Amino acid sequence: MAKVALIQRELKRAKLVAKFAKKHAELKAVANDVSKSEEERDAARLALQKLPRNANPTRQRNRCELTGRPRGTFRQFGLGRAKIREIAFAGGIPGVTKASW
């Protein structure tokens, strides 16, 4: 089980990303638009830098929904590998079986 503070930090980041998502997308579009003038693009880049750091989606970390473990998380299930194994062996995930070859 991960520390509660680390899990709360990730939730806080997720809220910030959601709050600034529209503004971030607009500024990114302007900064990457070649048809705009250099001054407009530079202004958009500066505005992007002035946004809070945690408003950037790349600062988010995928964590297990049950344990909060940051590594070994499968996007398809949103769970850590150990929890997937436990739940799959118990028959909790439809269509997932133990491999044998």
Side-chain angles (χ1 to χ4, degrees):
M1 194 73 191
K3 286 185 178 181
V4 177
L6 297 178
I7 296 171
Q8 292 303 316
R9 183 189 306 158
E10 289 300 323
L11 294 175
K12 187 177 175 184
R13 282 181 181 155
K15 286 179 188 174
L16 261 178
V17 167
K19 179 180 177 182
F20 287 99
K22 185 178 178 186
K23 189 172 187 178
H24 190 272
E26 290 170 356
L27 290 171
K28 276 293 252 194
V30 173
N32 293 332
D33 190 2
V34 206
S35 64
K36 301 278 185 186
S37 69
E38 281 299 319
E39 292 80 24
E40 287 178 308
R41 294 174 70 194
D42 287 339
R45 288 188 197 109
L46 285 174
L48 264 174
Q49 288 178 358
K50 289 184 180 179
L51 291 179
R53 279 192 178 187
N54 287 334
N56 193 340
T58 59
R59 300 212 13 132
Q60 287 182 299
R61 183 84 167 133
N62 292 333
R63 288 185 174 269
C64 176
E65 290 292 324
L66 299 178
T67 62
R69 188 176 200 279
R71 297 184 180 205
T73 305
F74 287 72
R75 288 182 187 174
Q76 185 178 2
F77 305 110
L79 299 172
R81 57 180 173 74
K83 285 295 172 185
I84 286 178
R85 189 170 192 267
E86 286 177 19
I87 296 170
F89 286 170
I93 305 175
V96 177
T97 56
K98 187 173 178 181
S100 60
W101 62 91

